Every structure is written in structure tokens, then in C-alpha cells.
Amino acid sequence: MMSKKIFVFFVSVLMICTSVQSQNVLNIIPAPAKAEKLPGEFTISPDTKIMLTGSGTENSAHFFNEYLQKYYGFTLQVSTSNEIPKNVIVLGFEKMENKIPGAYNMHVNQDEVYIGGDNEAGVFYGIQSLIQLLPATKSSSLKITQCQIIDSPRFAYRGLHLDCSRHFFSVDYVKKYIDFIAMSKMNTFHWHLTDDQGWRIEIKKYPLLTQKGSCRNGTIIGNYPGKGNDQQEYCGYYTQDQIRDIVKYAADRYITIIPEIEMPGHASAAIAAYPLLSCFPNEATQTDKIPWAGKVHGKEVQQTWGVFDDVFCPSDYTFHFLEDVLDEVMALFPSTYIHIGGDECPKENWKRSEFCQNLMKEKGIKNEEGLQSYFIHTIEQYLNKKGRQIIGWDEILEGGLAPNATVMSWRGEEGGIAAAKMKHDVIMTPGDYCYFDHSQSKHNDSITIGGYLPLETVYKYDPQPSSLTSDEKKYILGAQANVWTEYIGNETKLEYMLFPRLAALSEVLWTNTTNKDWNNFLSRMQDQYQRYHLWNVHYNANGIRKSE
Ligand code: ACM
């Protein structure tokens, strides 16, 4: 047995070592590949200039100035002269040997801050690190520590999702959300725009999608299937002009938006607008056992959550409709990827539909899983012809994977592992690590779904499963957190579910495993919590306690 005195001695040594280590650490999240804190400081004041030495760097200068204005109340003069004065922030390019774009070098001495990006995004990520070196309280004289950083991302795909169908978020708030992604050095926003409870994207050729499909007459109260209905009409959609504006806003932050148009399931809102999309257009929406607002007039937008049998019928009418919709989607979103959903499609209606059964015989399709595969394959062919690639949830593996599909693994990692072994690209979003609609406390502090997902579990996730060979691991493009909003009805709750787990995710995606350390992350989080106050965002503080 260790004596009490020796034990206290060991604990004291450990505490001293930890505090020495944390003094040398730059409080940057995600942790950079290499970072060294140096003695001395550089002060950013309204007299400091930003000097651009490469074209395209003005975008990052603009972002930095907007940040300074918003949180510290001043901006810096930007110029492109070749003479570098003192008291300057220099932005330029520097070729770096990193396979994944976004690397940068940064050093800070008493006269200047220098950021050299491997590409424009790299400069932008350097600016994000600089922002994290600023004091997290308002001031007009911003002292930052001298330092040297060499940094690059681990994964090419660093995503965050938002479900705007179950609950709608305004254009301004979506932009704020995109800023959260950018400041986490992440590069993809997966925008879930259609589902059973609301169609949220204007499609000019099918105006009823938004006239009818973007409104529900009420929403259940409490957990599914609901202990009442709020009887409030709930509507919202994004116009094409608003979407173009948001796509540009994201691109200025080196973020690609991947739109998701759900098929063949989760299609109630589209079917409410155009009932011929169903195999049973004359059957009214089932509302038994659901607390329902208003009368049922044929097909309705859903008012409760879950999965519904009335799905897209694999008919010529449906495929023409979807091709027209996707044409407008592609014109709005330059992303190579279009997410076509593919999850949770009940097969009941296809089983009892004479049309589907005949189609299966005609095409030699064995079962309804095969019919789902035929559906996804048909859409993939259409999108591939237009130079786009599909992403689908892991159910698209059922009945045979479409030849070029990327799989988003959500029901655990198994779907992603199977797809990687078949040499398909994979994005990992397993529920146990990446679902931010799950609770952050063991005893729910509000209604959530799916279980308990504390900060530490997110932090410890590795998107490359150890069961894959190193060749197979190359198919794991990265990972993403999903924010489903059945039980997230407002911005306050959205932020509470997002922070601080987004910080942990950013480190999963950016930082090599050898540089990850949970205790060190917790110590770097202290500044980040202060920054949440500066940003005036809501967050959950449970994560800083090691266990509940
Ligand atoms: C999903 O969470 N249904 C993809």
C-alpha cells in the first residue's frame, strides 16, 4: 500500500507537470499538428495592418475583420504593398506536402503575424487559429502569444448536418450555423431539406411542394407519438434566391453545402403536395393513434415523428418528378455530391402495390430491397450523367449498392465497414458517437432521442475502424455529426446540443490520433467556454466534468 504522504507527493508532481505542460500549450481547438508557444507577445490594435501577398487571401482578411468588428469593435486596414512594415498580419501562400488540402504555417513574433496557406482554405484555417489566440474578452488591444504552428487536417470530409424539415431555421441562423462550422475548421454542411414533416426548398416547376408541402397543421407535444398536439400551423421554406445567397456565404468560408433530397422514404410532404407520387394516391394519410390538428384531407404533411409507410412509388411519374427536382437542386448547389437519403423506407406499400409487383417481375427484381436498390440506382445514373455523385444512408447497401455511391454510415459503423471493403467511399456518422440529438446528461434535462452521448465519447471517436486494413481505411473520407431536430425546436436548444460537442468533433476530424489527449483537450476547452460567452451562444457545461 502506498502511504498517504507518498500519494500526495505523486499527485502534486503530476499536477505541476500537467500545469507546466498546459502553459506550453496553445489553446487551439482542434489541436494543431505542431505548435510551440514562444516567450513574448504581439499586440493587435486598430493600427495593425493586414498585408496580402497572394490573390484570394482577401477573403480570409475580410472574415477576420468581420470577426474583429463584431466582437472587439474595430477593423484593420488591408493592403497589398510588397513592403512589409512592422505591426502587420501577413497572409500568403506556401506550398506544403500534405495530401489533404487546408494545411498552413503560422508564426507570431513581436513585429508580425505570418500565415502561409497551402491553398486559400489553408490561409482561412490559419485565421481561425489566430482568432483562437485572441483574448476571449472584449478589448481594443489584443495581446497574442508568440508562437510557431505547422498544421494540416487529418480527414478531407469534415461535416456537420442540420435537419431543417422537422424544425425550420431562418436564413440568418443557417448562416450563423455555417460560421460555427467554419470556426471549427470543418468544410461540409449537409443540409437536410425534405422530410415527412415539411418540404423546405422552393422548386419552381412544382410550386405545391412549398405551397402545401412546407406547412403542417400542428406538431405533437412530447415524445413520439405525442401526448397532445400544439394545434399551431408550422411553415417555412427557403427561396431559390435565399439558397444561392447561403451557398455563396458558405463558399466564402470554404464550406461545401451538400443538399439532401430524401427518397424513396420520408416522402410524406412531397406526397401531400403531389399525391400521384404515392402508389396509393387515393388513400388518406393514416392518423390513427396520432394526436392530430385539423381535418384530414387526403394526403397530409405529418405532424408526428417517425417512419411512414406512404413512400415514393417507383413509377415513371415519380422518376420524372425527381429528375426535375434534382435539375433545380443541381442548378443551386455546385457540390459534386447530392445526398439522396435512402434510409428508413418501409416496404409495406410496395408489397401490396400491384404496380410494384409487376415492375419487379418485369425487371427480374427478387424482393422489395431489390426495388429500393433499383430506385437508388436509377437516380444515381441520372445524377452521374450530369457529373454528380450520390451519397446515401447505409440502407442503400440493401439489395445491392449503386456502383458509384458514397455511403453515410449511421446505424453503427458496420455499413461503412462493408462499403469500404467493397471499395466505396464512406462518411462515418455512427449514432453512438455522432448524433448530437442524443442527450448530454444521463438524466434527460429536456426531451431528446437516442440515448446518452457525452463530450468524452465524441472526443474519443476514431472514424477509421481498426477492423479495416490500411488500404481500406483510405475509403473513409471523414465523419460528420448529425443534428436531427424533432426535439430541437429553437436556436437556444440547437446551440445547447451543439456546444461543446462540436469542438470535440472538430478535433476528431482534424487532429492526428497521436496528438489527441482528452485531459489536454479539457484544459484547452477553458478558453473555448469563455469564447462561447463572447459569441453569446448556449452550451452544455456537463462535458467539463469527467463523469456524471
Ligand atoms: C437517420 O438518422 N435516419 C439517417
Side-chain angles (χ1 to χ4, degrees):
M1 274 278 282
M2 198 189 294
S3 83
K4 199 173 164 195
K5 268 192 186 155
I6 296 177
F7 177 75
V8 170
F9 170 77
F10 275 126
V11 169
S12 312
V13 169
L14 194 72
M15 282 172 68
I16 291 164
C17 291
T18 316
S19 76
V20 168
Q21 192 196 17
S22 52
Q23 273 167 23
N24 288 326
V25 163
L26 295 172
N27 285 342
I28 294 177
I29 296 172
K34 286 199 187 118
E36 192 186 356
K37 191 171 178 175
L38 301 170
E41 283 165 339
F42 174 83
T43 303
I44 298 176
S45 69
D47 297 332
T48 307
K49 302 220 167 15
I50 301 180
M51 193 66 71
L52 308 179
T53 64
S55 80
T57 53
E58 62 278 5
N59 198 41
S60 292
H62 181 69
F63 186 93
F64 189 60
N65 262 337
E66 280 196 338
Y67 189 91
L68 286 180
Q69 181 63 49
K70 192 161 172 192
Y71 298 111
Y72 304 99
F74 67 93
T75 57
L76 307 181
Q77 198 191 323
V78 181
S79 79
T80 52
S81 139
N82 283 334
E83 266 172 55
I84 311 271
K86 287 190 174 170
N87 192 11
V88 67
I89 298 171
V90 181
L91 304 183
F93 295 115
E94 197 176 317
K95 265 284 138 266
M96 293 172 76
E97 300 297 322
N98 195 58
K99 280 199 287 298
I100 295 173
Y104 69 95
N105 276 334
M106 173 168 167
H107 27 96
V108 179
N109 63 30
Q110 63 184 14
D111 297 324
E112 69 169 43
V113 173
Y114 164 81
I115 295 173
D118 185 42
N119 62 353
E120 273 187 45
V123 178
F124 186 76
Y125 298 139
I127 288 290
Q128 301 317 313
S129 290
L130 177 59
I131 282 174
Q132 292 194 28
L133 295 177
L134 300 174
T137 47
K138 287 192 192 294
S139 162
S140 60
S141 168
L142 307 174
K143 286 194 191 331
I144 61 172
T145 181
Q146 293 187 31
C147 62
Q148 206 134 352
I149 300 174
I150 303 172
D151 201 9
S152 56
R154 178 179 177 204
F155 289 107
Y157 186 106
R158 305 184 297 279
L160 185 67
H161 149 287
L162 183 62
D163 167 10
C164 289
S165 171
R166 275 54 176 267
H167 283 103
F168 181 77
F169 294 88
S170 70
V171 169
D172 282 348
Y173 201 79
V174 170
K175 288 181 174 174
K176 199 166 172 185
Y177 197 79
I178 287 169
D179 279 334
F180 298 149
I181 300 174
M183 291 193 287
S184 312
K185 300 194 177 88
M186 290 162 60
N187 63 2
T188 309
F189 173 40
H190 170 174
W191 201 2
H192 188 77
L193 286 163
T194 73
D195 215 303
D196 297 300
Q197 297 80 8
W199 182 281
R200 307 282 177 226
I201 168 170
E202 179 188 29
I203 300 294
K204 305 264 191 208
K205 196 155 182 185
Y206 296 96
L208 294 179
L209 284 173
T210 42
Q211 279 167 31
K212 182 146 201 267
S214 74
C215 284
R216 57 179 184 258
N217 289 330
T219 304
I220 59 146
I221 297 167
N223 281 109
Y224 168 88
K227 60 179 180 352
N229 188 303
D230 68 7
Q231 307 286 328
Q232 304 283 315
E233 190 184 42
Y234 189 92
C235 301
Y237 70 91
Y238 306 98
T239 66
Q240 295 204 349
D241 280 346
Q242 288 171 330
I243 288 173
R244 271 187 283 272
D245 178 41
I246 291 173
V247 167
K248 160 107 181 42
Y249 188 89
D252 286 345
R253 286 149 182 77
Y254 305 93
I255 289 171
T256 302
I257 303 187
I258 298 178
E260 181 180 355
I261 307 297
E262 267 272 11
M263 65 189 79
H266 288 294
S268 306
I271 289 171
Y274 294 96
L276 289 175
L277 294 168
S278 161
C279 291
F280 300 96
N282 298 321
E283 286 182 5
T285 298
Q286 289 292 323
T287 59
D288 300 351
K289 302 198 184 93
I290 299 169
W292 195 261
K295 289 215 164 64
V296 179
H297 302 284
K299 302 289 190 190
E300 294 281 352
V301 178
Q302 300 292 347
Q303 301 179 15
T304 189
W305 320 123
V307 168
F308 304 91
D309 285 347
D310 206 5
V311 300
F312 283 137
C313 200
S315 60
D316 287 349
Y317 177 85
T318 299
F319 285 121
H320 281 143
F321 164 86
L322 287 172
E323 287 171 9
D324 288 342
V325 166
L326 290 169
D327 280 347
E328 293 193 31
V329 168
M330 283 186 278
L332 292 168
F333 294 93
S335 156
T336 304
Y337 289 121
I338 305 290
H339 201 304
I340 49 73
D343 61 320
E344 300 180 320
C345 179
K347 309 294 185 298
E348 303 315 310
N349 277 13
W350 291 353
K351 279 187 188 150
R352 66 187 181 95
S353 151
E354 210 182 310
F355 168 81
C356 290
Q357 295 305 313
N358 286 338
L359 180 70
M360 285 163 62
K361 274 197 207 104
E362 185 197 315
K363 304 268 179 204
I365 297 171
K366 281 202 297 289
N367 53 28
E368 287 72 23
E369 282 68 35
L371 192 53
Q372 150 122 350
S373 171
Y374 163 80
F375 198 114
I376 302 294
H377 202 135
T378 305
I379 294 295
E380 175 178 80
Q381 276 178 333
Y382 185 74
L383 290 172
N384 284 173
K385 265 199 308 214
K386 309 259 166 170
R388 307 298 181 103
Q389 297 291 328
I390 66 163
I391 301 180
W393 300 109
D394 57 59
E395 286 93 328
I396 67 169
L397 282 151
E398 290 166 8
L401 194 50
N404 304 312
T406 295
V407 172
M408 198 167 255
S409 193
W410 73 280
R411 296 175 302 173
E413 296 182 284
E414 291 73 21
I417 291 171
K421 285 184 187 294
M422 291 160 67
K423 301 189 186 314
H424 279 251
D425 285 340
V426 171
I427 296 150
M428 284 295 189
T429 68
D432 286 349
Y433 300 95
C434 295
Y435 267 47
F436 287 0
D437 54 346
H438 292 196
S439 175
Q440 293 171 92
S441 67
K442 279 188 189 149
H443 318 285
N444 255 350
D445 46 10
S446 64
I447 300 180
T448 59
I449 188 172
Y452 175 49
L453 176 52
L455 183 65
E456 186 171 1
T457 307
V458 178
Y459 187 78
K460 294 199 167 157
Y461 180 54
D462 183 350
Q464 290 184 323
S466 54
S467 60
L468 292 180
T469 64
S470 56
D471 259 3
E472 289 163 349
K473 281 181 182 164
K474 292 188 188 127
Y475 292 99
I476 311 292
L477 303 182
Q480 169 178 294
N482 296 333
V483 186
W484 299 105
T485 59
E486 287 94 332
Y487 302 106
I488 302 178
N490 57 60
E491 295 160 6
T492 307
K493 172 107 186 244
L494 177 57
E495 288 169 6
Y496 180 77
M497 300 304 275
L498 199 58
F499 299 118
R501 290 186 289 196
L502 183 61
L505 179 76
S506 76
E507 196 146 313
V508 166
L509 294 170
W510 182 276
T511 306
N512 274 318
T513 43
T514 44
N515 279 339
K516 277 178 71 192
D517 180 284
W518 168 242
N519 285 319
N520 179 274
F521 171 76
L522 284 186
S523 101
R524 280 177 286 125
M525 274 307 292
Q526 297 313 311
D527 275 6
Q528 188 64 17
Y529 284 113
Q530 279 202 41
R531 208 167 292 115
Y532 293 154
H533 287 277
L534 183 72
W535 296 348
N536 199 19
V537 298
H538 299 83
Y539 65 93
N540 176 295
N542 280 344
I544 45 175
R545 291 201 287 275
K546 279 208 79 175
S547 60
E548 270 188 286

